[in-house]
Amino acid sequence: MKVLLQGLGFEKECKYVRDYFYRTNMRASIYMSIVVVVLEIWMIIRMTRTIFEHNLQSRFAYYFEKYYLNYIVLLASGALMLVCAVRYIKGEKKSSRAVGLLVKWIFTLVCIYFGIKVSLNDYSKGEQILTFLTMELFSLCLLTWKPYIAFLISASSYLYFFHRIDQMTAVNTGLIGTTDATKVNFFIMWLSTMMVCIANYNNTRAQALKDQNLEEVNTYLSKISVEDELTGIHNMVYFRSEAEKLLNYVTTDRESIIFLFFDIENFKSYNEKYGFHAGNDLLKRIAHMIDAAFNGSLVSRFSDDHFVVLTRLDGVQNVIGELSGEVKRLQKEVHLELKCGAYKPVGDEADVSLACDRARFACNSIKKHYDRTLRLYDKSLEDKFHLKQYIVNNIDTAIQNGYIKVYYQPIVSTKTGCICGLEALARWQDPKYGLLSPGSFIEILEEYRQIYKLDKYIIEAVCRDYRDSVDNKKPFAPVSLNFSRLDFELCDIVGYLCEMVEKYDVPKEFMDVEITESALTVQQDFLPDAIKKLREFGYKVWLDDFGSGYSSLNVLKDYHFDVLKIDMKFLSGFKNNEKTRPILENIVDLTKQLKMVSLTEGVETKEQFDFLGNIGCERAQGYLFSKPVPLEELRERIAAGELKVCRDISIKSA
Ligand code: C2E
Ligand code: CA
Ligand code: CA
């Protein structure tokens, strides 16, 4: 029913569709009115010529009333329609809208009236009634009327026309009235006119709806191309293009502009603790705070909790100070802090990406420095920045040239004090920068998604070391490898591990995998599967850095691990913090209940080691026994009797 009502034009259309009809009508009426105007001018000229050629000037009044008046009325309505349509097309939409509709009505009715008049005249002379038909089609079908309006106009005009000819004497038969055949023909003609009207209306309507959809999609796309979907402020793409324009404007005072990169410290923990929606709300609030604080400047959200602003230097410090206070006020139990890195372009520098990178670098350099909110990119940061670029650009060369080394740190049994495992830790022995520790390259490799290259290299190096030890009857112990969360995403790290284990014939019990707790708090579909697969293949999976985040217990709930590595932060407060001991004791108990092996990292004193033994923690790792050392050094220390390898393990390896 609804469809029928819609098809006949009874349903109220939305504004877009109404506008579309109006536009189509205005366009069509331009052609129609031009034809009408030209035709009528021609008719007037023709009539005038006939009058003069036949010297009929004396009957001008008669001709005027019978012909000229009609021509003039039609000409006038055509001209009116033309002016209206042209004005609309030229963009003077609002003023002419109501008038336009009125003119359309006048034009239609005049056309039909003219058609009826001419065709009645023609019919009386035995001619065809083509003018009437043409005018019906012209004004009802070319101009799109709603079907029910077209019905009213056409039905009344056809009826009137029919009624008039029904009273005339037919030229061919000499009888008054119309024959049955004429009646049927007439009805069919009217039906056809109506059909064309309905079809035309529905076609135009369908086209309008299609256009409306397209336009909505387009509007949405163009909106999200410059706008950040979550916060509604500008996005990175917009920022970059606008910042580039600004930097390249001759009139921009470069001395006074500055790039600011904002990061919300502990946002991840906030998200973990309060959930995704609360996290999003926080981002929106902070986005609008930054936007308001830098009103008139270029403000954008780059990704996650990262915002970038291009603004003027004056007063920037105060604004950031105030903003930082506002953000602090938003915190609940999770400590929130706004960190800002700033970069002032030098000379005629116009590289927006580099400027943002540097501001971000400055920002990252003050993370975890609780007393600092703002850091300007300077010479000392520049050196670090260069190291970062060096690392990203040289990881492949470092791997190829063997600059990456595996250091081993013993893991000791609290019962026997012997080595029951080794943790493989990467080192970069660089010809330019010297010995680099993971702290200076792991995060960068993760940021640039290159970490898998290093981890694959370490896997093979450890397997090779195992083979070498066995072949040369040297002691060795099961090794735990550090896998990054990204390894599972960027390559088939499990497949690669299996391949290497097979290639060097390493027993699976000699290869364990450490996954850091923070990796598991990020929602990722493939990680649970990958962990399951590792365990199914026979590898032990360890949870590294347990207790370093906010959802440690959730991780335990959702995954199964063989070994729980208790983060070294627990031991750091061993001496002064009374709570440390009961907490550690509880964690160790929990580990037992969950049938996992407990290991505490960062053991530096004998006292700590004894305590761990007493509370039943099975393994310990830390500087008390050894720092991470190259394999050679480890072997020497074992040979010197400084370190012992647990019997059951060394027998297996030999
Ligand atoms: P982690 O896995 O938690 O490794 C333990 C870190 O604590 C090591 O630092 C180790 O040298 C240090 N450590 C061990 N015992 C003590 C102690 O008694 N006191 C103190 N203060 N520190 C101790 P390192 O070797 O600098 O490694 C840092 C981090 O880099 C590692 O943390 C690990 O997350 C990452 N990492 C190291 N090698 C690799 C690797 O091959 N692949 C991946 N993906 N990450 C690695
Ligand atoms: Ca580790
Ligand atoms: Ca750790």
Side-chain angles (χ1 to χ4, degrees):
M1 189 63 187
K2 194 169 181 243
V3 177
L4 187 70
L5 286 179
Q6 246 169 16
L8 294 175
F10 284 107
E11 289 273 310
K12 192 167 163 39
E13 299 293 356
C14 66
K15 188 175 174 312
Y16 186 91
V17 175
R18 287 203 310 271
D19 287 351
Y20 188 91
F21 273 120
Y22 186 73
R23 212 165 39 241
T24 318
N25 279 335
M26 284 298 138
R27 278 210 203 99
S29 64
I30 289 192
Y31 309 120
M32 266 177 65
S33 50
I34 288 177
V35 171
V36 166
V37 166
V38 170
L39 206 69
E40 293 321 295
I41 293 175
W42 181 66
M43 293 296 274
I44 292 173
I45 295 172
R46 209 182 68 145
M47 195 71 206
T48 315
R49 250 180 36 205
T50 315
I51 291 174
F52 279 99
E53 273 169 16
H54 296 90
N55 270 334
L56 299 168
Q57 290 90 326
S58 55
R59 297 192 65 197
F60 190 77
Y62 166 78
Y63 285 112
F64 184 82
E65 197 197 339
K66 191 158 171 65
Y67 297 104
Y68 280 108
L69 203 57
N70 291 335
Y71 299 155
I72 289 169
V73 170
L74 197 59
L75 178 66
S77 72
L80 199 63
M81 186 78 250
L82 185 62
V83 171
C84 224
V86 169
R87 280 187 61 185
Y88 171 80
I89 298 293
K90 273 171 69 184
E92 298 160 38
K93 294 176 194 173
K94 275 197 184 129
S95 58
S96 56
R97 180 73 185 246
V99 181
L101 285 171
L102 181 69
V103 171
K104 187 183 139 192
W105 268 101
I106 296 174
F107 184 59
T108 304
L109 295 179
V110 168
C111 282
I112 289 176
Y113 167 76
F114 180 80
I116 293 175
K117 201 150 182 193
V118 171
S119 285
L120 281 177
N121 194 24
D122 289 346
Y123 186 81
S124 67
K125 294 179 199 155
E127 303 267 354
Q128 308 264 14
I129 54 165
L130 288 176
T131 313
F132 172 65
L133 291 180
T134 312
M135 285 304 177
E136 285 283 329
L137 286 174
F138 238 53
S139 46
L140 291 180
C141 304
L142 264 182
L143 290 182
T144 323
W145 287 97
K146 289 193 166 195
Y148 73 89
I149 298 180
F151 175 86
L152 287 177
I153 302 177
S154 64
S156 47
S157 54
Y158 267 85
L159 276 175
Y160 174 72
F161 189 77
F162 179 74
H163 168 72
R164 289 290 303 272
I165 59 173
D166 206 32
Q167 292 171 339
M168 290 183 182
T169 309
V171 176
N172 51 352
T173 58
L175 296 172
I176 292 181
T178 48
T179 61
D180 282 349
T182 309
K183 280 180 189 137
V184 171
N185 283 344
F186 216 72
F187 180 68
I188 290 174
M189 266 162 18
W190 171 74
L191 213 57
S192 314
T193 313
M194 266 323 289
M195 289 308 210
V196 178
C197 274
I198 294 173
N200 183 32
Y201 171 80
N202 283 303
N203 275 344
T204 313
R205 187 171 169 273
Q207 191 61 40
L209 291 174
K210 208 161 97 190
D211 258 42
Q212 185 188 15
N213 275 343
L214 269 177
E215 194 162 300
E216 273 167 10
V217 171
N218 255 340
T219 315
Y220 175 73
L221 286 180
S222 56
K223 197 170 148 208
I224 61 164
S225 70
V226 297
E227 197 176 89
D228 174 52
E229 222 180 334
L230 175 71
T231 60
I233 65 172
H234 288 304
N235 64 12
M236 181 168 74
V237 178
Y238 181 83
F239 180 89
R240 282 182 197 271
S241 80
E242 290 304 299
E244 226 150 72
K245 281 185 215 156
L246 262 175
L247 283 189
N248 287 304
Y249 273 150
V250 190
T251 49
T252 305
D253 176 12
R254 299 169 144 276
E255 286 304 302
S256 72
I257 62 168
I258 191 158
F259 283 83
L260 303 175
F261 186 99
F262 290 97
D263 183 305
I264 308 157
E265 181 122 45
N266 281 337
F267 175 71
K268 278 202 181 72
S269 309
Y270 187 95
N271 232 357
E272 281 168 24
K273 190 164 168 65
Y274 299 109
F276 204 61
H277 287 297
N280 279 352
D281 282 345
L282 181 74
L283 283 180
K284 279 188 226 167
R285 290 182 71 174
I286 294 181
H288 291 119
M289 280 178 183
I290 299 179
D291 202 28
F294 292 99
N295 189 11
S297 303
L298 201 51
V299 179
S300 68
R301 174 170 171 242
F302 264 34
S303 62
D304 309 319
D305 54 338
H306 302 152
F307 300 89
V308 182
V309 176
L310 178 60
T311 187
R312 298 180 74 82
L313 205 55
D314 338 315
V316 112
Q317 225 159 333
N318 290 341
V319 178
I320 295 171
E322 279 164 26
L323 254 178
S324 150
E326 281 181 57
V327 170
K328 269 200 188 121
R329 280 192 285 279
L330 292 179
Q331 75 187 22
K332 300 181 194 168
E333 282 156 55
V334 176
H335 174 85
L336 288 176
E337 250 198 75
L338 190 70
K339 296 286 182 194
C340 177
Y343 178 69
K344 231 174 78 51
V346 187
D348 55 0
E349 246 177 45
D351 188 338
V352 174
S353 296
L354 194 69
C356 295
D357 263 6
R358 287 180 168 161
R360 170 155 79 156
F361 194 75
C363 180
N364 286 347
S365 74
I366 50 168
K367 276 192 176 173
K368 308 252 159 37
H369 293 230
Y370 287 105
D371 50 337
R372 296 199 64 173
T373 305
L374 175 65
R375 169 85 200 243
L376 186 72
Y377 184 88
D378 58 14
K379 175 76 183 76
S380 74
L381 278 185
E382 180 150 316
D383 293 342
K384 282 193 189 153
F385 189 70
H386 283 152
L387 174 65
K388 174 178 169 173
Q389 286 183 321
Y390 181 82
I391 283 165
V392 178
N393 295 335
N394 287 280
I395 177 66
D396 292 319
T397 326
I399 288 174
Q400 271 163 26
N401 296 352
Y403 299 157
I404 305 292
K405 310 270 184 225
V406 186
Y407 275 38
Y408 292 96
Q409 188 178 30
I411 295 166
V412 167
S413 154
T414 51
K415 275 203 195 96
T416 60
C418 299
I419 298 176
C420 57
L422 298 168
E423 178 173 10
L425 292 155
R427 297 290 181 267
W428 182 324
Q429 181 68 56
D430 191 73
K432 186 170 164 195
Y433 286 98
L435 186 70
L436 297 172
S437 63
S440 54
F441 58 86
I442 296 286
E443 219 175 285
I444 297 171
L445 292 177
E446 285 190 330
E447 186 185 334
Y448 285 84
R449 302 168 81 81
Q450 303 286 306
I451 186 72
Y452 70 99
K453 294 181 179 168
L454 175 99
D455 286 343
K456 279 169 87 172
Y457 179 80
I458 299 282
I459 293 177
E460 177 154 23
V462 170
C463 289
R464 217 186 293 121
D465 282 348
Y466 167 84
R467 180 77 355 242
D468 179 78
S469 302
V470 172
D471 290 351
N472 295 301
K473 306 219 170 340
K474 297 265 172 64
F476 205 68
V479 176
S480 58
L481 301 155
N482 288 288
F483 276 14
S484 162
R485 172 179 64 85
L486 293 171
D487 292 340
F488 298 97
E489 191 183 326
L490 299 171
C491 70
D492 176 15
I493 196 83
V494 181
Y496 187 78
L497 177 65
C498 293
E499 204 183 297
M500 289 301 122
V501 158
E502 200 168 311
K503 181 173 168 191
Y504 293 94
D505 195 15
V506 185
K508 285 186 177 152
E509 312 86 82
F510 265 70
M511 290 287 136
D512 297 345
V513 174
E514 291 189 17
I515 297 174
T516 177
E517 181 193 274
S518 62
L520 299 159
T521 49
V522 184
Q523 287 295 320
Q524 251 165 350
D525 300 340
F526 49 81
L527 256 179
D529 283 345
I531 292 175
K532 219 170 120 212
K533 215 160 97 186
L534 269 170
R535 300 190 76 242
E536 278 166 10
F537 283 151
Y539 300 102
K540 295 211 160 56
V541 182
W542 301 15
L543 177 59
D544 198 1
D545 306 326
F546 176 77
S548 59
Y550 280 86
S551 18
S552 312
L553 293 175
N554 277 344
V555 171
L556 283 189
K557 196 171 79 226
D558 298 339
Y559 298 88
H560 191 86
F561 298 97
D562 300 284
V563 177
L564 187 84
K565 235 179 153 177
I566 303 164
D567 196 72
M568 59 184 88
K569 86 168 181 202
F570 289 100
L571 278 188
S572 65
F574 190 77
K575 240 188 173 158
N576 307 317
N577 192 341
E578 287 165 15
K579 290 184 190 155
T580 303
R581 292 169 200 236
I583 291 177
L584 270 171
E585 208 170 338
N586 274 315
I587 297 177
V588 170
D589 278 350
L590 178 72
T591 315
K592 289 210 170 76
Q593 281 168 31
L594 296 175
K595 307 217 170 357
M596 292 187 281
V597 172
S598 50
L599 187 168
T600 306
E601 353 177 48
V603 181
E604 292 181 353
T605 64
K606 180 79 174 55
E607 197 193 351
Q608 291 171 342
F609 182 62
D610 290 343
F611 170 74
L612 291 172
N614 287 340
I615 62 168
C617 176
E618 285 134 308
R619 299 184 195 177
Q621 176 184 1
Y623 293 169
L624 175 65
F625 320 105
S626 169
K627 289 194 168 180
V629 288
L631 183 61
E632 265 319 303
E633 194 179 323
L634 184 77
R635 282 173 177 168
E636 280 165 21
R637 293 180 63 181
I638 293 171
E642 275 177 50
L643 295 165
K644 279 199 191 78
V645 179
C646 284
R647 265 178 150 252
D648 52 337
I649 294 165
S650 53
I651 289 164
K652 222 178 197 171
S653 68

